[in-house]
Amino acid sequence: MAHDTPTLLATRRERLGSRYAKRERAAGLLPAVIYGHGSDPVAVCINEKEMMTALKHGSHVVNVKLEGGSTETCLVKDLQFGYLGDNVIHVDLAKVNLDEMVTVNVSMHFVGTPEAAKKAGHIVIHDLAQLEVTCKVRDIPEEIRIDLSVVMHGMTLTIADIKMPPGVTPTLPPTQVLARVQAVLEEAAGEAAPVEATAAPEVIKEKKEDKPAT
């Protein structure tokens, strides 16, 4: 991994249920569950600010030190959001080892501007914001950097056109389009609209082991 794995302190949750979870969040704690490797799921609370800082820095893996117990290396498996979709209310953490193969979604960082997109009537379309990849836990990148300056008019940038980090393999086919330069139509009101809409990326859900309710 391109960064040091953050270590977060966790405490066991003695009481479960939405009422108690709400109290914990009000106290600055983020409810979570740790599962995997054949062990029973453990409901815990983690400092919300520390967890969110780790996520904002692109951390897919964290070390969780259970108060009075051992430290586990965990993959951030799933995030649950509030009904407005603007805040994380629960985290699922799966125990892993650094040489274990996993499938994760990694954010793509687009840099540069295509020359064609600098012309009036042309825009850059990003078909995907994240890319699903398979790799060892130790090789999970914080992000995948993609240079758009090489994209010419009428050209699409596909997975086959980018250099993946060592040990990282995309799950989508090489022909999958990541970005393109597209002309826009001038509407009667003078507003520009894309010729075609970009489909939202499919959300891939993985089956997880049973775990306690929030």
Side-chain angles (χ1 to χ4, degrees):
M1 291 171 283
H3 54 81
D4 293 332
T5 304
T7 298
L8 307 177
L9 180 65
T11 56
R12 288 180 180 271
R13 297 173 61 197
E14 300 299 334
R15 296 180 177 181
L16 304 179
S18 59
R19 180 176 61 176
Y20 298 109
K22 185 176 181 180
R23 292 178 183 175
E24 290 157 355
R25 288 192 290 270
L29 300 174
L30 187 61
V33 62
I34 303 173
Y35 62 94
H37 286 185
S39 60
D40 293 333
V42 179
V44 300
C45 277
I46 299 174
N47 182 282
E48 180 181 19
K49 184 177 181 180
E50 293 179 357
M51 185 76 235
M52 295 310 300
T53 297
L55 294 176
K56 290 177 181 179
H57 282 82
S59 297
H60 290 80
V61 178
V62 294
N63 292 322
V64 180
K65 181 174 177 54
L66 190 59
E67 189 175 25
S70 60
T71 299
E72 300 286 352
T73 300
C74 297
L75 177 69
V76 179
K77 200 69 171 178
D78 188 39
L79 302 176
Q80 296 178 24
F81 293 85
Y83 72 97
L84 293 178
D86 59 352
N87 64 313
V88 177
I89 62 172
H90 191 277
V91 181
D92 290 350
L93 301 168
K95 296 179 184 178
V96 292
N97 62 64
L98 294 180
D99 290 318
E100 184 175 340
M101 294 295 294
V102 294
T103 299
V104 297
N105 286 311
V106 179
S107 297
M108 291 185 288
H109 182 201
F110 295 95
V111 298
T113 303
E115 285 297 324
K118 297 178 181 179
K119 300 178 181 178
H122 293 80
I123 58 174
V124 180
I125 300 294
H126 299 161
D127 288 64
L128 296 176
Q130 294 185 322
L131 186 62
E132 187 183 65
V133 301
T134 299
C135 62
K136 290 182 179 180
V137 171
R138 67 172 69 254
D139 293 330
I140 299 176
E142 292 182 19
E143 62 184 19
I144 297 175
R145 189 179 177 88
I146 299 176
D147 185 5
L148 293 177
S149 62
V150 299
V151 181
M152 306 300 291
H153 175 63
M155 171 185 172
T156 58
L157 189 71
T158 67
I159 290 178
D161 298 319
I162 65 174
K163 183 178 180 180
M164 299 297 298
V168 178
T169 304
T171 61
L172 293 174
T175 54
Q176 171 64 48
V177 175
L178 302 178
R180 53 204 159 92
V181 175
Q182 179 176 294
V184 295
L185 295 176
E186 294 296 331
E187 297 182 343
E191 297 180 354
V195 174
E196 59 184 57
T198 302
E202 180 182 0
V203 176
I204 301 175
K205 297 183 178 178
E206 300 182 38
K207 184 177 180 182
K208 301 185 284 291
E209 300 176 34
D210 292 338
K211 48 189 181 298
T214 303

